[in-house]
mmCIF file of all heavy atoms in Angstrom:
data_model
loop_
_atom_site.group_PDB
_atom_site.id
_atom_site.type_symbol
_atom_site.label_atom_id
_atom_site.label_comp_id
_atom_site.label_asym_id
_atom_site.label_seq_id
_atom_site.Cartn_x
_atom_site.Cartn_y
_atom_site.Cartn_z
ATOM 1 N N SER Y 1 54.056 45.889 184.618
ATOM 2 C CA SER Y 1 55.314 45.381 185.173
ATOM 3 C C SER Y 1 55.317 43.865 185.128
ATOM 4 O O SER Y 1 54.256 43.218 185.134
ATOM 5 C CB SER Y 1 55.479 45.854 186.619
ATOM 6 O OG SER Y 1 55.607 47.256 186.681
ATOM 7 N N LEU Y 2 56.522 43.324 185.114
ATOM 8 C CA LEU Y 2 56.694 41.875 185.048
ATOM 9 C C LEU Y 2 58.039 41.556 185.689
ATOM 10 O O LEU Y 2 58.997 42.337 185.536
ATOM 11 C CB LEU Y 2 56.693 41.423 183.589
ATOM 12 C CG LEU Y 2 56.530 39.933 183.272
ATOM 13 C CD1 LEU Y 2 55.147 39.464 183.692
ATOM 14 C CD2 LEU Y 2 56.725 39.702 181.774
ATOM 15 N N ARG Y 3 58.122 40.439 186.399
ATOM 16 C CA ARG Y 3 59.410 40.026 186.958
ATOM 17 C C ARG Y 3 59.791 38.654 186.432
ATOM 18 O O ARG Y 3 59.043 37.685 186.615
ATOM 19 C CB ARG Y 3 59.383 39.997 188.490
ATOM 20 C CG ARG Y 3 60.787 39.787 189.074
ATOM 21 C CD ARG Y 3 60.813 39.849 190.583
ATOM 22 N NE ARG Y 3 60.325 38.624 191.190
ATOM 23 C CZ ARG Y 3 60.583 38.288 192.450
ATOM 24 N NH1 ARG Y 3 61.329 39.079 193.217
ATOM 25 N NH2 ARG Y 3 60.078 37.160 192.948
ATOM 26 N N LEU Y 4 60.936 38.580 185.814
ATOM 27 C CA LEU Y 4 61.468 37.315 185.346
ATOM 28 C C LEU Y 4 62.425 36.751 186.387
ATOM 29 O O LEU Y 4 63.121 37.506 187.077
ATOM 30 C CB LEU Y 4 62.227 37.502 184.027
ATOM 31 C CG LEU Y 4 61.455 38.172 182.891
ATOM 32 C CD1 LEU Y 4 62.313 38.214 181.641
ATOM 33 C CD2 LEU Y 4 60.146 37.485 182.628
ATOM 34 N N SER Y 5 62.462 35.427 186.476
ATOM 35 C CA SER Y 5 63.359 34.746 187.393
ATOM 36 C C SER Y 5 64.263 33.800 186.624
ATOM 37 O O SER Y 5 63.867 33.260 185.582
ATOM 38 C CB SER Y 5 62.565 33.947 188.433
ATOM 39 O OG SER Y 5 61.735 34.787 189.199
ATOM 40 N N CYS Y 6 65.448 33.596 187.171
ATOM 41 C CA CYS Y 6 66.399 32.637 186.588
ATOM 42 C C CYS Y 6 66.947 31.804 187.732
ATOM 43 O O CYS Y 6 67.771 32.285 188.519
ATOM 44 C CB CYS Y 6 67.513 33.362 185.856
ATOM 45 S SG CYS Y 6 68.810 32.270 185.230
ATOM 46 N N ALA Y 7 66.485 30.568 187.831
ATOM 47 C CA ALA Y 7 66.932 29.656 188.881
ATOM 48 C C ALA Y 7 68.149 28.880 188.401
ATOM 49 O O ALA Y 7 68.141 28.326 187.296
ATOM 50 C CB ALA Y 7 65.803 28.703 189.255
ATOM 51 N N VAL Y 8 69.166 28.842 189.239
ATOM 52 C CA VAL Y 8 70.437 28.220 188.860
ATOM 53 C C VAL Y 8 70.712 27.007 189.739
ATOM 54 O O VAL Y 8 70.529 27.064 190.959
ATOM 55 C CB VAL Y 8 71.593 29.233 188.987
ATOM 56 C CG1 VAL Y 8 72.924 28.573 188.628
ATOM 57 C CG2 VAL Y 8 71.336 30.444 188.099
ATOM 58 N N SER Y 9 71.168 25.940 189.137
ATOM 59 C CA SER Y 9 71.577 24.751 189.883
ATOM 60 C C SER Y 9 72.871 24.204 189.290
ATOM 61 O O SER Y 9 73.219 24.510 188.146
ATOM 62 C CB SER Y 9 70.487 23.681 189.840
ATOM 63 O OG SER Y 9 70.233 23.294 188.503
ATOM 64 N N GLY Y 10 73.581 23.426 190.089
ATOM 65 C CA GLY Y 10 74.782 22.763 189.619
ATOM 66 C C GLY Y 10 76.074 23.530 189.821
ATOM 67 O O GLY Y 10 77.139 23.057 189.454
ATOM 68 N N ARG Y 11 75.973 24.730 190.386
ATOM 69 C CA ARG Y 11 77.167 25.538 190.632
ATOM 70 C C ARG Y 11 76.869 26.481 191.780
ATOM 71 O O ARG Y 11 75.721 26.891 191.971
ATOM 72 C CB ARG Y 11 77.544 26.316 189.368
ATOM 73 C CG ARG Y 11 78.747 27.220 189.460
ATOM 74 C CD ARG Y 11 80.025 26.425 189.750
ATOM 75 N NE ARG Y 11 80.320 25.466 188.714
ATOM 76 C CZ ARG Y 11 81.101 25.708 187.684
ATOM 77 N NH1 ARG Y 11 81.657 26.885 187.534
ATOM 78 N NH2 ARG Y 11 81.342 24.764 186.795
ATOM 79 N N THR Y 12 77.897 26.836 192.545
ATOM 80 C CA THR Y 12 77.694 27.796 193.623
ATOM 81 C C THR Y 12 77.257 29.127 193.042
ATOM 82 O O THR Y 12 78.038 29.816 192.371
ATOM 83 C CB THR Y 12 78.985 27.977 194.433
ATOM 84 O OG1 THR Y 12 79.397 26.704 194.943
ATOM 85 C CG2 THR Y 12 78.757 28.945 195.575
ATOM 86 N N PHE Y 13 76.012 29.473 193.281
ATOM 87 C CA PHE Y 13 75.425 30.647 192.629
ATOM 88 C C PHE Y 13 76.196 31.911 192.949
ATOM 89 O O PHE Y 13 76.357 32.779 192.095
ATOM 90 C CB PHE Y 13 73.965 30.779 193.061
ATOM 91 C CG PHE Y 13 73.249 31.939 192.448
ATOM 92 C CD1 PHE Y 13 72.899 31.924 191.106
ATOM 93 C CD2 PHE Y 13 72.920 33.056 193.210
ATOM 94 C CE1 PHE Y 13 72.241 32.993 190.534
ATOM 95 C CE2 PHE Y 13 72.254 34.119 192.642
ATOM 96 C CZ PHE Y 13 71.906 34.089 191.305
ATOM 97 N N SER Y 14 76.674 32.023 194.176
ATOM 98 C CA SER Y 14 77.359 33.247 194.581
ATOM 99 C C SER Y 14 78.661 33.467 193.821
ATOM 100 O O SER Y 14 79.194 34.582 193.832
ATOM 101 C CB SER Y 14 77.638 33.236 196.081
ATOM 102 O OG SER Y 14 78.445 32.117 196.415
ATOM 103 N N SER Y 15 79.164 32.453 193.132
ATOM 104 C CA SER Y 15 80.392 32.585 192.360
ATOM 105 C C SER Y 15 80.129 32.967 190.905
ATOM 106 O O SER Y 15 81.075 33.120 190.127
ATOM 107 C CB SER Y 15 81.175 31.272 192.387
ATOM 108 O OG SER Y 15 80.511 30.259 191.647
ATOM 109 N N LEU Y 16 78.866 33.115 190.550
ATOM 110 C CA LEU Y 16 78.484 33.406 189.166
ATOM 111 C C LEU Y 16 78.074 34.863 188.989
ATOM 112 O O LEU Y 16 77.302 35.402 189.786
ATOM 113 C CB LEU Y 16 77.323 32.524 188.736
ATOM 114 C CG LEU Y 16 77.560 31.024 188.714
ATOM 115 C CD1 LEU Y 16 76.242 30.290 188.471
ATOM 116 C CD2 LEU Y 16 78.584 30.654 187.652
ATOM 117 N N SER Y 17 78.556 35.470 187.935
ATOM 118 C CA SER Y 17 78.003 36.735 187.481
ATOM 119 C C SER Y 17 76.875 36.408 186.506
ATOM 120 O O SER Y 17 76.992 35.472 185.710
ATOM 121 C CB SER Y 17 79.061 37.595 186.800
ATOM 122 O OG SER Y 17 80.029 38.029 187.734
ATOM 123 N N MET Y 18 75.804 37.173 186.573
ATOM 124 C CA MET Y 18 74.593 36.859 185.830
ATOM 125 C C MET Y 18 74.223 37.994 184.878
ATOM 126 O O MET Y 18 74.516 39.166 185.137
ATOM 127 C CB MET Y 18 73.432 36.637 186.796
ATOM 128 C CG MET Y 18 73.662 35.575 187.841
ATOM 129 S SD MET Y 18 73.859 33.933 187.129
ATOM 130 C CE MET Y 18 72.251 33.704 186.360
ATOM 131 N N ALA Y 19 73.556 37.619 183.804
ATOM 132 C CA ALA Y 19 73.103 38.629 182.846
ATOM 133 C C ALA Y 19 71.795 38.194 182.214
ATOM 134 O O ALA Y 19 71.436 37.016 182.246
ATOM 135 C CB ALA Y 19 74.150 38.852 181.761
ATOM 136 N N TRP Y 20 71.114 39.168 181.651
ATOM 137 C CA TRP Y 20 69.910 38.930 180.857
ATOM 138 C C TRP Y 20 70.149 39.456 179.453
ATOM 139 O O TRP Y 20 70.690 40.550 179.275
ATOM 140 C CB TRP Y 20 68.713 39.625 181.469
ATOM 141 C CG TRP Y 20 68.247 39.009 182.748
ATOM 142 C CD1 TRP Y 20 68.630 39.342 184.014
ATOM 143 C CD2 TRP Y 20 67.299 37.942 182.893
ATOM 144 N NE1 TRP Y 20 67.992 38.547 184.929
ATOM 145 C CE2 TRP Y 20 67.161 37.683 184.260
ATOM 146 C CE3 TRP Y 20 66.552 37.172 181.994
ATOM 147 C CZ2 TRP Y 20 66.315 36.697 184.760
ATOM 148 C CZ3 TRP Y 20 65.705 36.202 182.483
ATOM 149 C CH2 TRP Y 20 65.593 35.972 183.853
ATOM 150 N N PHE Y 21 69.727 38.661 178.490
ATOM 151 C CA PHE Y 21 69.725 39.046 177.085
ATOM 152 C C PHE Y 21 68.314 38.839 176.547
ATOM 153 O O PHE Y 21 67.499 38.168 177.181
ATOM 154 C CB PHE Y 21 70.702 38.180 176.276
ATOM 155 C CG PHE Y 21 72.155 38.477 176.545
ATOM 156 C CD1 PHE Y 21 72.767 38.026 177.703
ATOM 157 C CD2 PHE Y 21 72.901 39.198 175.629
ATOM 158 C CE1 PHE Y 21 74.111 38.297 177.959
ATOM 159 C CE2 PHE Y 21 74.246 39.468 175.865
ATOM 160 C CZ PHE Y 21 74.848 39.015 177.036
ATOM 161 N N ARG Y 22 68.038 39.383 175.381
ATOM 162 C CA ARG Y 22 66.737 39.162 174.757
ATOM 163 C C ARG Y 22 66.885 39.095 173.247
ATOM 164 O O ARG Y 22 67.819 39.667 172.684
ATOM 165 C CB ARG Y 22 65.742 40.249 175.148
ATOM 166 C CG ARG Y 22 66.059 41.640 174.598
ATOM 167 C CD ARG Y 22 65.065 42.652 175.144
ATOM 168 N NE ARG Y 22 65.317 44.002 174.619
ATOM 169 C CZ ARG Y 22 64.646 45.079 175.000
ATOM 170 N NH1 ARG Y 22 63.691 44.978 175.928
ATOM 171 N NH2 ARG Y 22 64.926 46.256 174.488
ATOM 172 N N GLN Y 23 65.946 38.398 172.640
ATOM 173 C CA GLN Y 23 65.923 38.302 171.193
ATOM 174 C C GLN Y 23 64.505 38.524 170.699
ATOM 175 O O GLN Y 23 63.608 37.718 170.965
ATOM 176 C CB GLN Y 23 66.439 36.948 170.718
ATOM 177 C CG GLN Y 23 66.589 36.857 169.210
ATOM 178 C CD GLN Y 23 67.383 35.639 168.780
ATOM 179 O OE1 GLN Y 23 67.507 34.670 169.523
ATOM 180 N NE2 GLN Y 23 67.929 35.693 167.576
ATOM 181 N N ALA Y 24 64.326 39.631 170.012
ATOM 182 C CA ALA Y 24 63.025 39.955 169.441
ATOM 183 C C ALA Y 24 62.849 39.216 168.118
ATOM 184 O O ALA Y 24 63.837 38.840 167.473
ATOM 185 C CB ALA Y 24 62.917 41.466 169.220
ATOM 186 N N PRO Y 25 61.614 39.021 167.685
ATOM 187 C CA PRO Y 25 61.376 38.334 166.417
ATOM 188 C C PRO Y 25 62.114 38.992 165.254
ATOM 189 O O PRO Y 25 62.023 40.203 165.071
ATOM 190 C CB PRO Y 25 59.861 38.448 166.241
ATOM 191 C CG PRO Y 25 59.327 38.585 167.622
ATOM 192 C CD PRO Y 25 60.355 39.378 168.367
ATOM 193 N N GLY Y 26 62.886 38.206 164.526
ATOM 194 C CA GLY Y 26 63.596 38.722 163.370
ATOM 195 C C GLY Y 26 64.836 39.538 163.673
ATOM 196 O O GLY Y 26 65.431 40.122 162.751
ATOM 197 N N LYS Y 27 65.231 39.591 164.938
ATOM 198 C CA LYS Y 27 66.405 40.393 165.311
ATOM 199 C C LYS Y 27 67.445 39.530 166.005
ATOM 200 O O LYS Y 27 67.154 38.424 166.457
ATOM 201 C CB LYS Y 27 65.992 41.546 166.219
ATOM 202 C CG LYS Y 27 65.076 42.555 165.542
ATOM 203 C CD LYS Y 27 64.841 43.754 166.426
ATOM 204 C CE LYS Y 27 64.002 44.805 165.726
ATOM 205 N NZ LYS Y 27 63.777 46.007 166.584
ATOM 206 N N GLU Y 28 68.638 40.067 166.132
ATOM 207 C CA GLU Y 28 69.693 39.370 166.839
ATOM 208 C C GLU Y 28 69.497 39.506 168.344
ATOM 209 O O GLU Y 28 68.852 40.440 168.827
ATOM 210 C CB GLU Y 28 71.057 39.941 166.436
ATOM 211 C CG GLU Y 28 71.419 39.678 164.983
ATOM 212 C CD GLU Y 28 72.829 40.106 164.662
ATOM 213 O OE1 GLU Y 28 73.462 40.745 165.514
ATOM 214 O OE2 GLU Y 28 73.297 39.806 163.546
ATOM 215 N N ARG Y 29 70.074 38.571 169.065
ATOM 216 C CA ARG Y 29 70.002 38.648 170.517
ATOM 217 C C ARG Y 29 70.800 39.851 171.005
ATOM 218 O O ARG Y 29 71.879 40.143 170.471
ATOM 219 C CB ARG Y 29 70.537 37.348 171.126
ATOM 220 C CG ARG Y 29 70.272 37.219 172.597
ATOM 221 C CD ARG Y 29 70.272 35.774 173.049
ATOM 222 N NE ARG Y 29 71.471 35.045 172.730
ATOM 223 C CZ ARG Y 29 71.635 33.755 172.984
ATOM 224 N NH1 ARG Y 29 70.664 33.063 173.551
ATOM 225 N NH2 ARG Y 29 72.763 33.156 172.678
ATOM 226 N N GLU Y 30 70.265 40.532 172.015
ATOM 227 C CA GLU Y 30 70.925 41.725 172.533
ATOM 228 C C GLU Y 30 70.994 41.695 174.050
ATOM 229 O O GLU Y 30 70.166 41.107 174.721
ATOM 230 C CB GLU Y 30 70.192 42.999 172.079
ATOM 231 C CG GLU Y 30 68.795 43.147 172.628
ATOM 232 C CD GLU Y 30 68.147 44.470 172.264
ATOM 233 O OE1 GLU Y 30 68.767 45.280 171.547
ATOM 234 O OE2 GLU Y 30 67.009 44.700 172.698
ATOM 235 N N TYR Y 31 71.991 42.373 174.549
ATOM 236 C CA TYR Y 31 72.214 42.488 175.983
ATOM 237 C C TYR Y 31 71.140 43.362 176.620
ATOM 238 O O TYR Y 31 70.707 44.364 176.039
ATOM 239 C CB TYR Y 31 73.598 43.095 176.190
ATOM 240 C CG TYR Y 31 73.884 43.643 177.555
ATOM 241 C CD1 TYR Y 31 74.212 42.805 178.609
ATOM 242 C CD2 TYR Y 31 73.840 45.012 177.784
ATOM 243 C CE1 TYR Y 31 74.491 43.321 179.856
ATOM 244 C CE2 TYR Y 31 74.120 45.540 179.026
ATOM 245 C CZ TYR Y 31 74.448 44.687 180.062
ATOM 246 O OH TYR Y 31 74.721 45.197 181.291
ATOM 247 N N VAL Y 32 70.726 42.973 177.837
ATOM 248 C CA VAL Y 32 69.738 43.758 178.568
ATOM 249 C C VAL Y 32 70.328 44.313 179.867
ATOM 250 O O VAL Y 32 70.293 45.521 180.106
ATOM 251 C CB VAL Y 32 68.488 42.911 178.888
ATOM 252 C CG1 VAL Y 32 67.504 43.697 179.746
ATOM 253 C CG2 VAL Y 32 67.827 42.425 177.604
ATOM 254 N N ALA Y 33 70.845 43.424 180.709
ATOM 255 C CA ALA Y 33 71.338 43.869 182.011
ATOM 256 C C ALA Y 33 72.243 42.793 182.604
ATOM 257 O O ALA Y 33 72.189 41.638 182.198
ATOM 258 C CB ALA Y 33 70.169 44.155 182.956
ATOM 259 N N ALA Y 34 73.049 43.207 183.588
ATOM 260 C CA ALA Y 34 73.968 42.265 184.221
ATOM 261 C C ALA Y 34 74.215 42.646 185.672
ATOM 262 O O ALA Y 34 74.096 43.822 186.059
ATOM 263 C CB ALA Y 34 75.295 42.207 183.468
ATOM 264 N N ILE Y 35 74.576 41.638 186.450
ATOM 265 C CA ILE Y 35 74.940 41.844 187.844
ATOM 266 C C ILE Y 35 76.087 40.889 188.153
ATOM 267 O O ILE Y 35 76.012 39.696 187.899
ATOM 268 C CB ILE Y 35 73.727 41.611 188.775
ATOM 269 C CG1 ILE Y 35 74.084 41.907 190.225
ATOM 270 C CG2 ILE Y 35 73.163 40.194 188.614
ATOM 271 C CD1 ILE Y 35 72.844 41.997 191.132
ATOM 272 N N ARG Y 36 77.147 41.450 188.686
ATOM 273 C CA ARG Y 36 78.343 40.634 188.900
ATOM 274 C C ARG Y 36 78.340 39.984 190.283
ATOM 275 O O ARG Y 36 77.496 40.295 191.134
ATOM 276 C CB ARG Y 36 79.600 41.488 188.712
ATOM 277 C CG ARG Y 36 79.766 41.986 187.298
ATOM 278 C CD ARG Y 36 81.124 42.603 187.065
ATOM 279 N NE ARG Y 36 81.315 43.813 187.851
ATOM 280 C CZ ARG Y 36 82.401 44.569 187.792
ATOM 281 N NH1 ARG Y 36 83.403 44.212 186.988
ATOM 282 N NH2 ARG Y 36 82.511 45.656 188.514
ATOM 283 N N VAL Y 37 79.269 39.075 190.474
ATOM 284 C CA VAL Y 37 79.506 38.507 191.798
ATOM 285 C C VAL Y 37 79.702 39.664 192.780
ATOM 286 O O VAL Y 37 80.399 40.628 192.480
ATOM 287 C CB VAL Y 37 80.770 37.624 191.772
ATOM 288 C CG1 VAL Y 37 81.160 37.206 193.185
ATOM 289 C CG2 VAL Y 37 80.566 36.410 190.897
ATOM 290 N N GLY Y 38 79.048 39.535 193.927
ATOM 291 C CA GLY Y 38 79.144 40.597 194.916
ATOM 292 C C GLY Y 38 77.980 41.573 194.840
ATOM 293 O O GLY Y 38 77.604 42.180 195.832
ATOM 294 N N ALA Y 39 77.425 41.751 193.634
ATOM 295 C CA ALA Y 39 76.195 42.532 193.437
ATOM 296 C C ALA Y 39 76.305 43.973 193.908
ATOM 297 O O ALA Y 39 75.297 44.596 194.203
ATOM 298 C CB ALA Y 39 75.010 41.850 194.137
ATOM 299 N N SER Y 40 77.507 44.504 193.960
ATOM 300 C CA SER Y 40 77.632 45.887 194.416
ATOM 301 C C SER Y 40 77.180 46.874 193.346
ATOM 302 O O SER Y 40 76.787 47.990 193.647
ATOM 303 C CB SER Y 40 79.076 46.183 194.810
ATOM 304 O OG SER Y 40 79.936 45.977 193.704
ATOM 305 N N THR Y 41 77.233 46.450 192.095
ATOM 306 C CA THR Y 41 76.857 47.326 190.986
ATOM 307 C C THR Y 41 76.068 46.513 189.968
ATOM 308 O O THR Y 41 76.365 45.348 189.733
ATOM 309 C CB THR Y 41 78.108 47.909 190.301
ATOM 310 O OG1 THR Y 41 78.929 48.512 191.275
ATOM 311 C CG2 THR Y 41 77.713 48.953 189.257
#
């Protein structure tokens, strides 16, 4: 297991929807996961 963190500055964090993407060697960047403002889903 591993936990990645994304620290945000310069904007009210609670107003931002966040996502994770990844790019494997030799491949295009792809979507991984997302969490919207409110974090209900």
